[in-house]
């Protein structure tokens, strides 16, 4: 489905040309290389194709893809569709450039477009966590710092982005920030104070153009129905990867992970039902003993197609993690339903259940089902002096060419 009409190129020439608004009204310079990039992008989109562009710093790449992206949105909106654009970058510097410089230029010409940048949860202030920190007598030094910061609560409520830099300017410390940022479940159902993370996510859902970093893009692609929170259809979504040379290293770094069987054992002990605990512990012990019997000490042993015993035990492990995730989720749901007040330790456990355990089970199960060539699972067996559950380490390494 072609999204552009024959008039799109003319529209781009009007915008970027010497008489266009970028040059005549906003004072930008006309660049031949930039116009070549615009032609390449619009031609590719008109043919339902992708394209790869390499250009030096300062050649105007951002505007060269933003204006065709705006035309992509306008064209599909005219057909009654729900288009969204996601821009993925490697650096915060480029994100700041988009926020402060490029998005305002774009919306000057396309005033009906909304553009947002969405960062990781640790980049946003949560006033609910700040209020809890101000009452946490277990950490008296941070409690006093939080109380001092709360004296400026009205200013905190009116920050532009709710960012760490803004909070530091108002007297927050690096140590206190770790206690009051949006990382981990920052808000309970009964919390009523402003959370900039939730506000940013709501704004992102309403945005036409959303900028994220490469790591965030990887998690959106793997764990959500769509790479945009509004969940448009695939044909209504345009993905732009800026600083593409950094994409693979950042995604690989973000997704490389270790499976800790010791942590798994601790989670089993947190189950409320003793009989269920015993069942899981017996299964986990049998899996660990079986793997230790076939995995040599030392360097990691790759799990390959045909390693029937290793694959069988890892399959049992994936099933155990999936079932345990469901049982633990049930326990936590009951606590939430009863109005249980989660402290930070409980919240971290909940994150482990929802965002790590189930995902690890999914990763492992999918690997054993398909054995993709570009993904590697390794089982490491550490020296015998370590405890049984710390002895085995399972590592997931995607894109291991």
């Amino acid at each position: 489905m072609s999204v552009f009409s024959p008039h799109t190129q003319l529209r781009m020439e009007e915008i970027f040309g010497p008489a266009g608004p970028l040059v005549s009204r906003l004072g930008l310079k006309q660049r031949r290389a930039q116009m070549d990039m615009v032609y390449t992008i619009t031609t590719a989109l008109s043919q339902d194709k992708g394209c790869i562009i390499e250009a030096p710093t300062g050649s105007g790449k951002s505007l060269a893809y933003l204006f065709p992206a705006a035309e992509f949105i306008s064209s599909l909106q005219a057909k009654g569709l729900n288009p969204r654009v996601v821009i993925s970058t490697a650096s915060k510097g480029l994100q700041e450039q988009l926020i402060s410089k490029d998005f305002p230029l774009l919306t000057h010409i396309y005033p009906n477009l909304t553009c947002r940048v969405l960062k990781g949860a640790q980049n946003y202030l949560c006033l609910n966590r700040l209020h809890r920190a101000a009452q946490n007598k277990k950490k008296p030094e941070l409690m006093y710092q939080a109380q001092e910061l709360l004296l400026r609560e009205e200013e905190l409520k009116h920050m532009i982005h709710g960012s760490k830099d803004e909070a530091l300017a108002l007297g927050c410390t690096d140590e206190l920030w770790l206690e009051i940022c949006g990382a981990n479940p920052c808000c309970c159902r009964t919390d009523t104070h402003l959370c900039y993370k939730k506000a940013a996510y709501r704004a992102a859902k309403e945005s036409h153009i959303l900028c994220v970093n490469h790591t965030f893009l990887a998690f959106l692609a793997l764990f959500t129905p769509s790479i945009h929170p509004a969940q448009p259809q695939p044909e209504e979504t345009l993905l732009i990867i800026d600083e593409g040379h950094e994409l693979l290293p950042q995604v690989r770094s973000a997704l490389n992970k270790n499976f800790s069987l010791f942590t798994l054992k601790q989670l089993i002990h947190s189950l409320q039902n003793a009989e269920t605990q015993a069942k899981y512990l017996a299964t986990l012990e049998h899996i660990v003993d079986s793997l230790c019997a076939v995995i040599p000490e030392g360097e990691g042993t790759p799990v390959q197609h045909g390693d029937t015993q290793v694959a069988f035990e890892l399959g049992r492990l994936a099933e155990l993690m999936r079932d345990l995730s469901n049982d633990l989720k049930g326990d936590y749901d009951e606590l939430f339903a009863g109005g249980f007040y989660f402290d930070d330790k409980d919240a971290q456990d909940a994150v482990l259940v929802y965002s790590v355990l189930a995902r690890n089970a999914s990763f492992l199960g999918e690997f054993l089902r398909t054995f993709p060539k570009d993904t590697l699972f390794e089982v490491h067996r550490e020296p015998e002096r370590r405890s049984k559950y710390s002895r085995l380490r399972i590592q997931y390494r995607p894109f291991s060419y």
Side-chain angles (χ1 to χ4, degrees):
M1 178 183 67
S2 177
V3 298
F4 284 164
S5 71
H7 302 292
T8 301
Q9 294 284 21
L10 293 176
R11 170 70 171 152
M12 292 295 99
E13 289 178 5
E14 291 174 0
I15 292 174
F16 286 90
L22 292 180
V23 175
S24 63
R25 293 208 303 258
L26 300 177
L28 300 185
K29 294 181 179 180
Q30 186 180 22
R31 302 170 181 170
R32 183 68 253 174
Q34 186 180 57
M35 201 65 235
D36 289 342
M37 287 187 279
V38 172
Y39 285 146
T40 300
I41 294 168
T42 53
T43 300
L45 288 174
S46 67
Q47 298 174 358
D48 293 329
K49 295 180 179 180
C51 65
I52 299 174
I53 294 176
E54 184 177 8
T57 302
S59 56
K61 293 189 295 294
S62 300
L63 293 181
Y65 62 65
L66 280 175
F67 281 89
E71 282 296 311
F72 169 86
I73 293 170
S74 299
S75 299
L76 290 188
Q77 284 178 334
K79 298 178 181 180
L81 300 177
N82 180 38
R84 294 292 189 272
V85 173
V86 175
I87 302 169
S88 181
T89 72
S91 65
K92 288 185 178 180
L94 181 54
Q95 289 185 341
E96 293 303 321
Q97 175 194 314
L98 290 170
I99 294 173
S100 62
K101 180 182 175 183
D102 297 331
F103 284 167
L105 289 175
L106 183 69
T107 54
H108 179 81
I109 298 173
Y110 294 87
N112 294 326
L113 289 186
T114 56
C115 307
R116 296 287 184 268
V117 171
L118 185 59
K119 301 178 181 180
Q122 72 277 8
N123 292 284
Y124 298 102
L125 170 67
C126 175
L127 288 174
N128 296 296
R129 293 193 77 194
L130 176 59
H131 276 269
R132 291 205 291 273
Q135 301 172 24
N136 187 0
K137 296 180 180 179
K138 296 179 181 178
K139 299 179 178 180
E141 181 61 33
L142 291 180
M143 180 181 72
Y144 296 136
Q145 291 182 24
Q147 291 170 352
E148 286 290 319
L149 189 59
L150 273 176
L151 296 176
R152 308 185 72 170
E153 185 170 10
E154 285 304 310
E155 293 173 84
L156 293 171
K157 290 179 180 178
H158 294 91
M159 295 192 296
I160 298 174
H161 304 295
S163 68
K164 180 180 179 180
D165 288 342
E166 291 173 293
L168 292 178
L170 292 175
C172 180
T173 64
D174 289 326
E175 187 180 16
L176 178 60
W177 179 257
L178 296 177
E179 294 290 317
I180 66 176
C181 69
N184 298 328
C186 54
C187 306
C188 300
R189 290 183 178 182
T190 56
D191 285 336
T192 57
H193 301 290
L194 172 63
C195 174
Y196 281 97
K197 178 186 77 172
K198 288 188 174 181
Y201 284 17
R202 286 193 296 269
K205 189 173 182 179
E206 299 301 319
S207 67
H208 296 103
I209 298 178
L210 177 63
C211 180
V212 299
N213 62 34
H214 293 339
T215 300
F216 206 163
L217 175 68
F219 281 104
L220 288 172
L222 285 167
F223 304 125
T224 65
S226 170
I227 59 173
H228 192 287
Q231 299 184 16
Q233 295 299 314
E235 63 271 15
E236 300 171 5
T237 308
L238 176 64
L239 173 61
I240 299 170
I241 298 176
D242 204 335
E243 301 175 311
H245 60 287
E246 296 286 349
L247 176 66
L248 189 56
Q250 290 198 12
V251 170
R252 184 189 290 124
S253 175
L255 297 183
N256 279 1
K257 59 172 70 248
N258 292 324
F259 291 58
S260 170
L261 300 184
F262 182 77
T263 301
L264 196 58
K265 181 186 176 186
Q266 289 180 310
L267 282 172
I268 291 172
H269 279 295
S270 72
L271 285 167
Q272 298 182 37
N273 187 294
E275 184 177 340
T276 306
Q277 271 191 38
K279 180 191 71 173
Y280 277 117
L281 287 172
T283 303
L284 181 61
E285 183 173 14
H286 187 274
I287 292 171
V288 170
D289 289 341
S290 299
L291 288 174
C292 283
V294 295
I295 299 295
E297 283 188 14
E299 296 295 323
T301 300
V303 181
Q304 298 175 339
H305 188 69
D307 292 340
T308 53
Q309 184 170 358
V310 174
F312 175 75
E313 296 300 339
L314 290 179
R316 293 180 66 201
L317 181 64
E319 184 178 350
L320 182 149
M321 290 192 292
R322 188 163 47 246
D323 293 343
L324 178 60
S325 173
N326 291 331
D327 284 342
L328 285 168
K329 183 178 183 298
D331 285 354
Y332 281 115
D333 285 347
E334 288 181 15
L335 292 174
F336 272 125
F340 183 81
Y341 185 83
F342 270 41
D343 61 23
D344 284 343
K345 178 62 171 65
D346 291 320
Q348 290 167 9
D349 288 344
V351 166
L352 194 60
V353 173
Y354 293 121
S355 66
V356 178
L357 190 59
R359 290 174 184 176
N360 284 354
S362 176
F363 276 134
L364 187 52
E366 182 65 18
F367 174 82
L368 294 170
R369 188 179 68 83
T370 61
F371 284 93
K373 294 181 179 179
D374 59 351
T375 301
L376 181 66
F377 261 96
E378 288 182 337
V379 182
H380 298 255
R381 181 183 166 198
E382 305 295 347
E384 294 290 341
R385 63 177 180 274
R386 304 188 67 173
S387 68
K388 177 187 294 188
Y389 294 97
S390 299
R391 194 177 304 155
L392 282 178
R393 178 166 53 87
I394 303 170
Q395 187 174 34
Y396 170 71
R397 293 166 55 192
F399 312 114
S400 299
Y401 301 116

